[in-house]
Amino acid sequence: MTPNPSLPGFAWERMIPRLRLDGKLRKAAVRRANGHRCTISGNPREKQRHFGADGACKTAPARCERHRAGGACKTARSQAEPGNERHERRGVLLVLALALSMAVSSAHGEELDLLEQKAFQAAVARVAPSVVRIEMVGGLERVGDVPFGAGPTTGLVVSEDGYIVSSTFHFVNEPSSILVQLPGQARKPAQLVATDHNRMLVLLKIETDQPLPVPEAAPTEETRVGQWAIAVGRTFAGDRPNMAVGLVSALGRVWGKAIQTDTAVSPNNYGGPLVDIRGRVLGVLTPMSPESSEEIAGYQWYDSGIGFAVPLRDVLDVVPRMKRDGDLRPGLLGIGLGKDTLYAEAPVVATVRPNSPAFKAGIKSGDRIARIDGRPVPRLVQFKSEIARRYAGDTVRLAVVRDEKETECEAPLVAELEPYQHPFLGVLPMRTAAEAKDKPQGVTVRFVYPDSPAAKAGVEPGDVLLSVDGKAIAEAKLLRQAISERSVGDAVELEFRRRDETKKVKLDLASQPENAPAGPLPPAHATVKPGDQPDEKKEEAGKPAQPAMFKMKTPELTNEAWAYVPQRTAPPRPYGLVVWLHAPGGLDEKALLAQWKPHCDRDGLVLLAPKAADPDKWSLSELEFIRKLKEELENTYPIDPARVVVAGRQGGGAIAYLVAFQGPADAAAVIAVDAPTMGRLPENEPSHRLAFCVARAAKSEFAKRVEASITQLRKQKYPVTVMDLGEDPRELNAEELTELARWIDSLDRI
């Protein structure tokens, strides 16, 4: 469609400069009228304007700069010459000018509003012939926890021969049939051709005997933050579109894939166009999230002032590929970067997934990615944006820096990576404080798992592990990282010291165990020497040496929480952290503390208990509240990341899954009592270990979903410990809680 200069929208744009000029003139006139003041100078004419023949000041006292208290003009009569009345006449004229300008201003304001409305209507009228109404029949009533109704949605014509795009949101429930209604025409059956799982769009096809109107795409290079943006849908009535007006908020959002707008974007206009003031299409509206790749991710932001649209130019570029190849999926490279500071850190490889494109291209841990297809990627955010925009099947050319030498390699991206399974050496390390005196080099063995690779190789408690494949290991964190760079079944050479003897053994790594070791575990810390006893004078404010229970809040929310911190030692030993999220019905503080306090004191666990604003349910918006509380404790006390657990029962357990899934670095383990998973399972990454303990009840209303969750977690190669509660759902008893505490105590296994 070609632009029509006669449309009111274009007339309005031509008038903008003139209206702005009128506005400036109007403001200047008001300033001149309101700013009339007596300013005596040596100019005789100015003196005549100030005084009349009788010597009285002609300027209102409130406006005369020469007036003082009492309203009398202190200017000497001799300073003014008697004479004319031009000053008075000028004042009258200025008052009339002010009244006239106010009237003109009001008229211009009304004209401005009218022209604005006409411009919006013209923009929508221009794109309306390309906006279609889509109805679905059948399909699932719910996808996860999101209900789906039978209401219509919106689509946009992208080719004259009947191809239409829409959002994936309304198609994840797998409707049995799809009907498309063109403006002013009968409904036609449509075929689902392909789904773009990267940009969350679907491609439909209808049969047509006449060319369909294709909208004009707004040039990407002309799109600016702050310009008008109109969201158009066709859901309430098939004969006319619905619209919402806002602005373009940001460009290149969701890892470079979307335009952000503050326009009211909702299921009513998902799949419809976001257009500019000329009626050109900026993009196709669809819910998106930078934190998740689910088809329904981001839907919770609807009507919140946060909406996204995939640029139409990008859509048109990918439509031929969807016609030819069918479904498209995000391209995966298979590396872990291990950093959360997206805007400060360079993209340095932390881990490489076995048999991934990166692995086959020869990329190794420690490499720095300098360029992708010739584009520099100095920060993690640029790297993620470059990869996220691409599809499985695309080949990327990488410039990699290793030992200050740059090499190039090519890697074809894939849709799926083999599920990663963390390998297992078979030991628990002793926990050593960073400030401890005489800290040994190497990792002292606390416990050896029976029948593990370490046990079969002859490793014993008390041995000090020194190196893996010739690489020195100074502490448990480095040993854990070295093992995570291998795969299950890999052979490694382990060097360890026993008293004065050093040994080297070869062993094959196994998979992570699902259950905690049987029976009590040996102490995790060496006996404190007399010189390492706490010095009361050196205790830091806010970090009590004695056990403490205290309340916590965040400034942004009304939610409350409390925390229990066991007695501190010197040197400070790292704590574990248990975040307990209560079930519907609220939190019984005394009962929870009575259950957990003995385990907190014995195993060095901090207990955090947030409260939902509504005691009967948790809200997704409270995820940030939970994270902030956890971060505050981590910034105040030495917390061991390998023993951070998010736990809960029923609704609290479901939220615990989300905390772990949406922020991989936020938890090392999840305890879910009678609770199914929520959201899409994350990839099991080498750079971050995640373990699960699931307590199930046979007759629970969630029993089937809990079983499905266990199956899915194991399919992703996560270690899952299962506790049976019997027939009916209930709280954990003392024996089960002791077993659970032992499981937490073993989370730092290697």
Side-chain angles (χ1 to χ4, degrees), residues 34-49:
N34 290 339
H36 171 60
R37 293 176 177 175
C38 174
T39 54
I40 293 296
S41 67
N43 188 320
R45 181 172 294 180
E46 292 298 325
K47 295 177 183 178
Q48 290 175 352
R49 289 175 180 175

Side-chain angles (χ1 to χ4, degrees), residues 72-110:
C73 182
K74 299 300 183 182
T75 307
R77 174 67 183 90
S78 60
Q79 290 181 305
E81 297 180 6
N84 64 62
E85 300 178 356
R86 291 174 61 190
H87 174 71
E88 183 177 5
R89 290 198 301 272
R90 186 169 183 259
V92 172
L93 291 173
L94 285 170
V95 170
L96 291 174
L98 174 61
L100 178 61
S101 68
M102 292 177 65
V104 171
S105 175
S106 176
H108 279 181
E110 294 175 0

Side-chain angles (χ1 to χ4, degrees), residues 618-635:
W618 287 93
S619 167
L620 292 177
S621 63
E622 292 171 314
L623 288 171
E624 188 63 22
F625 166 66
I626 297 167
R627 291 195 187 99
K628 288 185 176 180
L629 292 174
K630 190 178 72 66
E631 288 174 2
E632 183 177 341
L633 288 174
E634 289 171 337
N635 292 332

